[in-house]
Amino acid sequence: MTTMFGLYYPPCCRGDHGRSRPREDEEGAGDLRVPGKPGIAIVGAGPAGLVIAHLLVREGIPFVVFERQALADLCRRPKAGVIEYRTVRLLERVGIAGPIVQFTTENHRCEFRTPEESVVLDYGALTGGRPHYIYPQDQLVQRLCQTLTEAGGEVRFGHAVRAVRQDSGGVVLLVEGPGGERSEVECEVTVGCEGSNSPVAAAMSHARVSEQSLPVRWLAIIGSAPPLENPRGFAGQMRRGPSQTRYYIEIPAADTVADWPEQRVRGELAVRLGAGGRLDGVPLGEMGILDLRVRVIEPMQQGRLLLAGDAAHLITPAGAKGMNLAIQDAVELAHGLIDRFGPKHDDRRLSAYSRTRLPPIWRTEAFSNWFLHVILTSLRDGTEPAAAVPGGFGHGLSQGWVAALQNDPLFVRWFAHAYAGVDAD
């Protein structure tokens, strides 16, 4: 199957870091032993938190997962769904892919469509048969929750962590239960995997935040239909299974869901995807707004507090990297926690967690930022004089990149490996 990135240009536009390394004294996890306290609190039962929990329960290391949503709500909304090749191989090595989750649906191709042409890239062939895999996040979370609780892991659904504080004696969480009752929970270490509004991240007083908000939004819609073949114009469609597709529409930054009633969405999809009436009878699910905001917190740990996934970094949807980074964080962090709280009692890997993860995170942020500029010509890096063709320079740059993907074998090989998440041989 093919993933499509359509590039829409308004009619007037159509044409005939170097980073400093965090100091070790900021990153070090220090001595985490606190006699008499429970072990590890994981805040958030998304892919990152659940992968960490799976690896800890296998080693018999005590933990508890706090998740603010009920299980039914957590597994209700489809989000991400594209899994990198390297992520699947990583999950195989730790015994999750295969025995617990079977990744069987593959995606080998993507298409760039402009009003002028269509460019199909078989990136699976360019990487030697190493494709993406499709596994919707809501289904992945449901499967990981089920198998975790069957293995004896403790997940407290409907429990929101409202505040976090740490001192030399450990970490104290203020937890609000399903009925609004509040209690304090003490633990040795807390891992924040609860997304961009993380109270764990907020408690890290020495963290440095690098952040940008981009002047555009995406409207995301789930349709109960397989992807359309041979689409045209601007829009995005990403596979979420054999009979489900996630559509994206670029909208102005000030728009809300209320500005996009279902009939308007159907009309825009028909035009931008060249769908005609093929989506007329397709049930459209709940719509949501994606703010294109990017952020990285450095370091990703402070004392007894550690971050993984969106709590540590936000990335644009371009390239489908967010869930992959979260899972990769989780595996590395789980290894560090196992070394520290298991028989080895070795802090070295846990203390190096930020130094290990930040370089690949920044590389992935760079790829996603570049990719977003290829598929969204409305993003402009500078101002345009009044006499200039609106968006014309961005349109030309995008055409140039698509041409390079067609004609430059070294460049297209780099893209294929970066997009599919294939490490160099």
Side-chain angles (χ1 to χ4, degrees):
M1 293 295 292
T2 302
T3 296
M4 188 282 296
F5 306 101
L7 311 182
Y8 170 72
Y9 312 124
C12 61
C13 302
R14 296 180 184 175
D16 292 286
H17 130 42
R19 306 289 312 168
S20 60
R21 175 174 290 182
R23 300 197 313 268
E24 286 195 32
D25 62 341
E26 291 180 343
E27 289 191 359
D31 184 0
L32 304 177
R33 285 170 289 187
V34 184
K37 296 193 186 299
I40 301 162
I42 300 169
V43 185
L50 293 172
V51 167
I52 293 171
H54 264 277
L55 300 186
L56 294 180
V57 77
R58 185 179 302 163
E59 299 297 325
I61 294 173
F63 70 89
V64 60
V65 180
F66 294 104
E67 170 52 50
R68 63 181 178 82
Q69 297 186 78
L71 177 59
D73 294 331
L74 183 66
C75 299
R76 182 173 59 89
R77 291 185 61 187
K79 294 183 179 180
V82 178
I83 313 294
E84 290 182 334
Y85 179 85
R86 72 163 63 93
T87 302
V88 173
R89 299 287 85 81
L90 183 64
L91 291 175
E92 282 181 348
R93 290 196 293 272
V94 298
I96 291 178
I100 297 173
V101 181
Q102 289 74 46
F103 295 94
T104 57
T105 303
E106 299 181 355
N107 199 90
H108 290 252
R109 297 180 298 163
C110 64
E111 179 182 11
F112 295 86
R113 222 170 226 278
T114 75
E116 293 83 22
E117 62 183 339
S118 168
V119 178
V120 178
L121 296 180
D122 189 343
Y123 61 86
L126 291 165
T127 58
R130 292 171 284 189
H132 278 128
Y133 296 85
I134 306 300
Y135 206 115
Q137 180 175 326
D138 56 316
Q139 297 177 26
L140 179 63
V141 166
Q142 187 171 31
R143 177 62 179 160
L144 291 175
C145 281
Q146 174 191 345
T147 52
L148 178 64
T149 54
E150 289 172 353
E154 182 180 3
V155 184
R156 299 184 188 178
F157 295 102
H159 285 73
V161 174
R162 298 302 185 190
V164 178
R165 71 176 188 271
Q166 69 166 326
D167 54 33
S168 59
V171 181
V172 179
L173 308 179
L174 178 61
V175 181
E176 183 178 296
E181 67 280 5
R182 293 196 169 195
S183 60
E184 289 192 339
V185 176
E186 296 182 342
C187 58
E188 296 187 45
V189 172
T190 298
V191 181
C193 308
E194 70 275 53
S196 59
N197 296 316
S198 164
V200 180
M204 292 173 55
S205 56
H206 299 314
R208 301 183 299 278
V209 180
S210 303
E211 185 169 1
Q212 287 185 349
S213 293
L214 303 177
V216 68
R217 302 177 117 183
W218 282 7
L219 183 68
I221 314 104
I222 288 289
S224 299
L228 300 170
E229 294 296 329
N230 298 318
R232 72 183 183 199
F234 169 81
Q237 60 171 9
M238 304 291 289
R239 296 177 68 195
R240 288 296 180 267
S243 60
Q244 194 175 76
T245 303
R246 195 178 200 195
Y247 302 106
Y248 296 107
I249 300 175
E250 179 188 2
I251 63 175
D255 278 14
T256 67
V257 171
D259 297 311
W260 287 86
E262 183 174 315
Q263 202 57 36
R264 184 183 181 190
V265 169
R266 289 186 183 277
E268 285 297 308
L269 286 174
V271 171
R272 299 188 192 192
L273 293 176
R278 286 181 288 171
L279 291 175
D280 287 352
V282 171
L284 297 182
E286 184 178 346
M287 302 176 196
I289 296 289
L290 293 178
D291 287 312
L292 302 190
R293 183 160 58 104
V294 291
R295 182 178 69 189
V296 176
I297 295 177
E298 301 175 89
M300 295 163 62
Q301 61 197 109
Q302 181 181 319
R304 304 173 188 278
L305 305 179
L306 304 112
L307 303 176
D310 285 357
H313 41 76
L314 295 175
I315 193 167
T316 81
K321 301 297 186 181
M323 181 166 61
N324 290 281
L325 284 179
I327 292 172
Q328 292 158 20
D329 288 349
V331 172
E332 178 59 31
L333 182 50
H335 284 313
L337 292 169
I338 291 166
D339 282 358
R340 175 62 195 86
F341 288 96
K344 291 183 180 179
H345 298 292
D346 187 341
D347 286 342
R348 288 175 294 179
R349 189 163 185 173
L350 188 58
S351 295
Y353 169 61
S354 284
R355 296 195 301 275
T356 301
R357 287 299 303 148
L358 282 169
I361 288 166
W362 276 114
R363 286 196 299 271
T364 306
E365 291 276 2
F367 173 80
S368 183
N369 182 274
W370 166 81
F371 198 17
L372 191 70
H373 281 75
V374 174
I375 62 178
L376 290 187
T377 59
S378 60
L379 290 181
R380 300 167 191 174
D381 295 325
T383 58
E384 296 176 332
V389 176
F393 196 81
H395 168 56
L397 291 177
S398 184
Q399 282 188 314
W401 286 121
V402 173
L405 289 169
Q406 288 178 279
N407 301 309
D408 187 331
L410 293 178
F411 180 68
V412 74
R413 185 180 184 277
W414 166 81
F415 169 81
H417 283 72
Y419 180 51
V422 177
D423 296 316
D425 293 327

